[in-house]
Amino acid sequence: MSGKLSFDALRELADRGEIDTVLVCFPDMQGRLMGKRFHVRNFLDSAWEETHCCNYLLATDLEMATPDGYRATSWESGYGDYVMKPDLTTLRPLPWLEGTVMVMCDILDHHSHEPVPHSPRQVLKAQVARAEALGLTPMMATELEFFLFEGTFDENRKRGYRPLATFGGYNEDYHILQTTREEHVMRPLRNHLFAAGIPVENTKGEAEAGQGELNIRYADALACADHHTIAKHATKEIAQQNGLSASFLPKWHQNRVGSASHVHLSLWRGDDPAFHDKDAEHGLSELGRRFCAGMIAYAPDYTFFLAPYVNSYKRFMKGTFAPTKTVWSVDNRTAGFRLCGEGTKAVRMECRIGGSDLNPYLAQAALIAAGLKGIEDGMELAASTRGDLYEDSSAREIPRHLRDAAETLRNSTMLREAMGDWVVDHYTRCAEWEQEEFDRVVTDWEIARGFEKA
Ligand code: ADP
């Protein structure tokens, strides 16, 4: 059993007693898998058509709290149900869980069966449809960086996350000796994901003690976001099975480099790479230049979708490979956008702003929306930048705090036109709530700073 599964193949596996459980899931606002575990017989008989979940699942925070201020759902409206509609094209085995397969769902209104506009899969589908209407298919890849820590999630939580010990004691960027020590996690991760039909390219060590990266081959945007979500989930579960914890918190320590999720993007017309023009500068077509001009110009508008928490903004530090400027460059890792595959059919733009905590559906949707605006308005791509862009005071900064990103999101005419007020208002509330929660908290830093000295 490997790769995606057809419905008939699932029936055969159930008949042979090889599969007994179906995870019926969807990505929530934070990009986590939410859903239910079905007995395979119930799934084959009825749940494949639809099942239901509480509509609070698209309006909670990381702690599953139920903040007020969402129009879509509230105590007043009684927290009713959504329909979870399995997308049977996503049926696949999850080989790291015994006897288990999974399917991704779309979220529909309980009464009208219309797609729920703020559900992350729908937010992305809407932008892909806008690109497809122009005959263009966005092809995307999202890199997954994370830290491995000693001890399971439970063990670390019970100790109050102090001290946190990285698995490995030194910078392991491209390091084979150190990464061999992680193979009890990384090898099953690569192989199980591959068997689940996710085209894993490689894993590698990253530029900090305990830090690793998983790369998956680019795919159409929806498949890419599904791959990312399942891979992130698998990384946590497989680390846990091996007595470690895998954390996608972007910045776990102020003195350590943070974790990113760089997003690679190109547009295709059928089998033709529409970003490529062999006669153009860098091999980047005029269409590609316009699209990239939009992505770069509107980066402040959608920074929230790349950096959705207070902690996300701690990553943006000079000298750490995390960018602070919305400019582009050719193969220069200090810029927010880096042109890769220069002069080849694989020419693409890498957005380096996103943290490892981004929701890939929302991040990709925002990048596509901004790029399409660049095409619509015939925007001109500025000249590429060079050198250490951390030190370039003329280059525009991305929002440096969640509070600022919430404001640029709220005021984004581009995103309101592309995604609709409903979606932008929903996620602005999400950003505001996260900030409100943080603002209430007295931090360890404040106590240590002021207890005696203030
Ligand atoms: P680097 O190591 O320089 O960041 P890689 O060659 O590892 O770059 O590629 C990074 C990601 O870019 C991979 O996941 C790859 O699948 C993806 N990629 C390659 N070609 C394209 C393309 N034309 N469009 C979008 N993504 C692509």
Side-chain angles (χ1 to χ4, degrees):
M1 180 180 30
S2 114
K4 296 253 213 81
L5 283 177
S6 68
F7 195 68
D8 288 342
L10 176 61
R11 195 186 301 280
E12 275 174 37
L13 289 164
D15 290 345
R16 292 211 301 267
E18 288 182 35
I19 292 297
D20 53 66
T21 301
V22 184
L23 297 191
V24 179
C25 314
F26 67 95
D28 71 359
M29 291 204 294
Q30 290 76 18
R32 301 173 297 184
L33 288 178
M34 293 285 151
K36 308 180 193 175
R37 291 181 144 86
F38 277 85
H39 193 281
V40 69
R41 285 293 160 207
N42 183 278
F43 182 79
L44 288 167
D45 290 347
S46 61
W48 68 271
E49 259 185 311
E50 68 174 55
T51 179
H52 306 96
C53 66
C54 175
N55 67 19
Y56 96 134
L57 287 172
L58 289 179
T60 63
D61 65 10
L62 282 169
E63 305 279 10
M64 308 302 286
T66 49
D68 59 14
Y70 284 109
R71 265 202 294 162
T73 165
S74 62
W75 290 111
E76 200 192 356
S77 62
Y79 284 115
D81 263 356
Y82 284 141
V83 170
M84 295 169 64
K85 175 83 184 160
D87 173 351
L88 293 178
T89 66
T90 66
L91 199 58
R92 50 168 41 95
L94 293 190
W96 65 97
L97 299 177
E98 213 180 326
T100 302
V101 300
M102 76 162 282
V103 69
M104 277 294 190
C105 294
D106 290 308
I107 299 296
L108 311 180
D109 182 89
H110 195 193
H111 306 286
S112 68
H113 276 64
E114 288 296 316
V116 169
H118 55 279
S119 98
R121 248 178 150 243
Q122 180 55 29
V123 173
L124 179 54
K125 280 183 165 186
Q127 297 312 310
V128 170
R130 292 182 62 221
E132 296 283 359
L134 302 175
L136 298 166
T137 304
M139 297 297 281
M140 307 188 71
T142 51
E143 302 173 15
L144 291 102
E145 290 179 4
F146 54 90
F147 277 86
L148 285 180
F149 289 97
E150 287 177 7
T152 62
F153 281 136
D154 273 349
E155 287 161 357
N156 281 308
R157 191 185 65 251
K158 284 177 187 159
R159 283 205 310 267
Y161 302 105
R162 300 263 186 240
L164 281 174
T166 55
F167 186 75
Y170 53 83
N171 180 329
E172 57 181 278
D173 206 15
Y174 298 92
H175 219 281
I176 298 302
L177 184 63
Q178 172 55 28
T179 52
T180 299
R181 297 190 188 123
E182 301 166 358
E183 274 294 84
H184 61 300
V185 175
M186 298 303 192
R187 182 166 175 244
L189 178 62
R190 291 190 304 271
N191 291 338
H192 287 325
L193 287 175
F194 202 85
I198 295 181
V200 169
E201 289 185 339
N202 57 59
T203 57
K204 63 178 276 293
E206 261 298 327
E208 196 35 279
Q211 196 179 27
E213 178 180 87
L214 168 67
N215 287 303
I216 299 170
R217 188 179 158 75
Y218 67 99
D220 70 83
L222 190 64
C224 170
D226 285 348
H227 293 165
H228 180 112
T229 305
I230 298 164
K232 181 174 173 184
H233 186 83
T235 309
K236 291 184 180 184
E237 288 193 335
I238 293 170
Q240 174 83 19
Q241 287 171 350
N242 287 281
L244 301 180
S245 25
S247 176
F248 291 79
L249 186 69
K251 192 80 174 176
W252 78 271
H253 193 286
Q254 62 270 21
N255 298 335
R256 304 298 182 97
V257 166
S259 292
S261 179
H262 303 148
V263 184
H264 293 250
L265 186 150
S266 60
L267 293 175
W268 292 64
R269 257 199 196 92
D271 292 335
D272 287 334
F275 263 30
H276 185 225
D277 174 353
K278 65 179 174 19
D279 300 324
E281 195 186 5
H282 310 302
L284 182 64
S285 66
E286 178 159 325
L287 182 96
R289 292 178 67 84
R290 300 219 150 125
F291 192 91
C292 292
M295 279 201 297
I296 294 164
Y298 289 105
D301 293 43
Y302 61 78
T303 297
F304 168 73
F305 290 126
L306 300 174
Y309 306 107
V310 171
N311 181 264
S312 318
Y313 294 81
K314 305 270 163 84
R315 204 185 117 243
F316 299 133
M317 293 280 291
K318 78 178 210 178
T320 65
F321 292 106
T324 55
K325 304 284 168 59
T326 74
V327 290
W328 76 286
S329 70
V330 181
D331 204 11
N332 173 341
R333 287 187 164 82
T334 67
F337 295 84
R338 179 173 74 115
L339 191 76
C340 300
E342 186 192 8
T344 71
K345 280 178 74 173
V347 65
R348 60 191 184 273
M349 195 57 96
E350 175 194 42
C351 172
R352 299 177 53 80
I353 300 171
S356 47
D357 53 349
L358 58 67
N359 177 329
Y361 301 90
L362 303 176
Q364 291 181 78
L367 286 164
I368 296 169
L372 291 178
K373 180 73 172 161
I375 295 179
E376 270 168 23
D377 290 357
M379 289 172 71
E380 293 293 335
L381 185 64
S384 70
T385 52
R386 283 170 196 274
D388 178 356
L389 294 161
Y390 291 117
E391 300 300 339
D392 183 347
S393 56
S394 66
R396 199 158 57 125
E397 297 262 346
I398 52 172
R400 297 304 292 273
H401 302 280
L402 179 60
R403 204 185 300 282
D404 305 338
E407 271 316 292
T408 50
L409 173 63
R410 184 200 315 280
N411 296 323
S412 173
T413 312
M414 182 279 290
L415 287 175
R416 287 187 179 279
E417 282 170 12
M419 295 182 171
D421 288 337
W422 178 273
V423 171
V424 172
D425 288 343
H426 190 85
Y427 284 99
T428 302
R429 178 65 195 132
C430 176
E432 274 174 4
W433 169 254
E434 201 63 21
Q435 187 66 56
E436 286 166 19
E437 282 289 270
F438 181 75
D439 288 346
R440 285 191 315 104
V441 173
V442 177
T443 64
D444 291 353
W445 183 85
E446 291 161 273
I447 305 281
R449 187 97 164 174
F451 187 84
E452 177 182 338
K453 294 157 231 145

